[in-house]
Amino acid sequence: MLLTRPPNGDYTNDIKLAADAGIDAFALNYGGWNVDFNVQDRYLSDFYSAAARLGFKVFISIDTTSVKDSSKVVQLANLYKDSPAQLKIASKMVLSTFEADPPAWNWQTDVLNKINTQVMFLPGSLSDDARSLFAQTTGDGFFPWIHPTKSVSQEADTDSSYAAQRDATGKLWMAGLASWFFKRFDANNNWSHAQDDGIFLDRWLHLLQLKPDYIEIITWNDWGESHYIGPADTTNTLPQSSWDTLDHTAFLKMTKRFIKAYKARQTTISIEPGDEDVYMFYRLQPAKTLGSTDSLPLPLDAGFLKDEVFVVAFLASSADITLTSGGTVHHITGKAGVSKTGIPWTVGPQSLSAQRSGQTFVTKKGPSISQQLSRYNGNVVAL
């Protein structure tokens, strides 16, 4: 959860939506791009207060790409350690990080030893070397995330290696899972993700098998990197972008179903008749077509992306699914359970329906796909 303020200054809607989905706590990212720490301090205080009022839990995730003073980490931890909103596990205060590179300080001597309570420390890492990561002595466990050049199968192998080292060392594994990934701010921040449609559904299904100790969903509201599952309201964020307001409602709805299965320690998802739905997500333009006014090249890994509408079905029993893409009609036989089908799209409006025994129980319409936009957009709409 990025520490931004909703337009009305009230975090209630975000907290209630998250709680309804089965989310237990928000990891509050302290730091970030062009951050004003005085403003962040006010937002952090407001969020802890709102969470406490609503009976929700939060914990601080230190963004060491911008936080450079270890004493600030100590000060924040000691300030909020007794808050009723502070997430505690086994009576320990949970503290995490986002790290591109390890900070200059020593976490044990400069931070953890100076916090006046027991801490469950789950530092972030970009490493895919599970053995080396879990061999580190500082930390109760680890929070590894984002390998944008790996394929779906390579990511699955990496997750399996984390699970194996978790089992071998007894340390905790907090898996990081994103709904999507795309950003395009400048030459150094121009990324897509090689896993494309496999970044979310495929990983959820695999993680249900591996049973991480915890799962952190990345993110609720990082609209600039396109991996939000919360409402797309970017009113108070800078810099605003051309891709950050697309609807990701379906990702939150799917998340709710996966969380339910994860908490029940199920390795597959059972769909009850009242829980059925069919979703679709897709980009609004070809993956390899620059915008008419673009000054940047195609994003990193755009060559791996598919120009398809991805249809995700959660069905209690088989059904007939119809996708109409730009006037071209496609018929899909939906099987019981969870399934994903990629259909090459046709430019124009997109619509979806599902029928069983002559009765339509799902109808959805999405925005049109264009052959070219004025600015490249690698985000998706998810309905």
Side-chain angles (χ1 to χ4, degrees), residues 21-24 89 122 166 172-177 203-217 254-270:
I23 294 170
D24 296 306
I89 298 175
L122 300 170
R166 179 267 314 270
L172 300 169
W173 170 35
M174 183 162 70
L177 173 75
R203 283 206 66 219
W204 255 122
L205 292 171
H206 190 225
L207 290 176
L208 289 181
Q209 302 286 325
L210 297 177
K211 296 181 173 61
D213 299 283
Y214 311 106
I215 296 177
E216 183 170 322
I217 301 163
M254 286 188 273
T255 294
K256 182 175 182 177
R257 299 167 190 271
F258 284 118
I259 288 175
K260 182 179 179 181
Y262 170 72
K263 288 185 174 181
R265 298 191 63 78
Q266 296 171 350
T267 56
T268 59
I269 295 183
S270 299

Side-chain angles (χ1 to χ4, degrees), residues 25-349:
F26 275 135
L28 302 179
N29 188 82
Y30 187 86
W33 195 7
N34 296 327
V35 65
D36 181 330
F37 286 105
N38 291 323
V39 172
Q40 285 243 307
D41 287 341
R42 293 200 305 272
Y43 289 177
L44 187 64
S45 175
D46 290 347
F47 210 107
Y48 264 89
S49 296
R53 175 172 51 84
L54 295 169
F56 197 67
K57 299 299 181 183
V58 297
F59 63 96
I60 298 171
S61 179
I62 299 295
D63 189 334
T64 61
T65 63
S66 57
V67 178
K68 302 301 182 183
D69 182 359
S70 64
S71 66
K72 182 63 177 180
V73 184
V74 175
Q75 183 260 325
L76 290 173
N78 283 325
L79 178 62
Y80 291 106
K81 63 182 176 63
D82 295 321
S83 167
Q86 173 61 48
L87 178 66
K88 294 184 179 181
I89 298 175
S91 300
K92 294 182 177 181
M93 172 187 192
V94 176
L95 176 67
S96 187
T97 73
F98 173 79
E99 296 181 10
D101 296 298
W105 61 75
N106 180 289
W107 277 109
Q108 189 64 56
T109 58
D110 296 331
V111 176
L112 299 178
N113 290 353
K114 297 180 181 180
I115 297 174
N116 299 323
T117 190
Q118 289 186 303
V119 178
M120 177 174 285
F121 185 46
L122 300 170
S125 174
L126 304 185
S127 173
D128 60 359
D129 185 343
R131 186 179 297 274
S132 296
L133 182 62
F134 280 78
Q136 296 179 28
T137 57
T138 301
D140 297 86
F142 301 98
F143 163 51
W145 178 61
I146 194 162
H147 311 115
T149 62
K150 285 183 180 289
S151 67
V152 173
S153 62
Q154 289 171 332
E155 190 70 61
D157 289 342
T158 300
D159 282 332
S160 294
S161 70
Y162 293 141
Q165 288 303 308
R166 179 267 314 270
D167 295 343
T169 64
K171 291 201 170 187
L172 300 169
W173 170 35
M174 183 162 70
L177 173 75
S179 59
W180 196 250
F181 195 95
F182 167 74
K183 64 178 179 179
R184 187 174 172 82
F185 292 116
D186 53 44
N188 295 319
N189 292 276
N190 184 22
W191 298 2
S192 54
H193 201 295
Q195 291 170 34
D196 198 29
D197 61 292
I199 189 175
F200 182 66
L201 185 78
D202 297 57
R203 283 206 66 219
W204 255 122
L205 292 171
H206 190 225
L207 290 176
L208 289 181
Q209 302 286 325
L210 297 177
K211 296 181 173 61
D213 299 283
Y214 311 106
I215 296 177
E216 183 170 322
I217 301 163
I218 306 157
T219 59
W220 182 260
N221 64 339
D222 193 339
W223 306 294
E225 292 191 348
S226 307
H227 44 58
Y228 51 94
I229 63 169
D233 189 336
T234 64
T235 307
N236 288 349
T237 63
L238 289 173
Q240 288 184 314
S241 57
S242 60
W243 61 84
D244 57 12
T245 58
L246 297 185
D247 191 346
H248 280 194
T249 299
F251 289 139
L252 181 58
K253 291 181 176 179
M254 286 188 273
T255 294
K256 182 175 182 177
R257 299 167 190 271
F258 284 118
I259 288 175
K260 182 179 179 181
Y262 170 72
K263 288 185 174 181
R265 298 191 63 78
Q266 296 171 350
T267 56
T268 59
I269 295 183
S270 299
I271 309 299
E272 300 298 325
D275 293 333
E276 290 187 305
D277 209 338
V278 182
Y279 309 101
M280 61 178 174
F281 64 96
Y282 57 91
R283 280 179 296 273
L284 302 182
Q285 62 144 87
K288 303 173 186 65
T289 300
L290 287 171
S292 59
T293 63
D294 268 326
S295 59
L296 294 172
L298 288 173
L300 180 69
D301 294 323
F304 292 98
L305 309 182
K306 299 183 285 292
D307 291 334
E308 296 180 354
V309 176
F310 303 104
V311 177
V312 180
F314 286 71
L315 298 174
S317 59
S318 61
D320 298 316
I321 301 169
T322 303
L323 173 70
T324 303
S325 179
T328 302
V329 179
H330 303 270
H331 296 285
I332 304 167
T333 300
K335 298 179 180 180
V338 180
S339 64
K340 180 184 66 177
T341 306
I343 302 292
W345 51 250
T346 304
V347 167

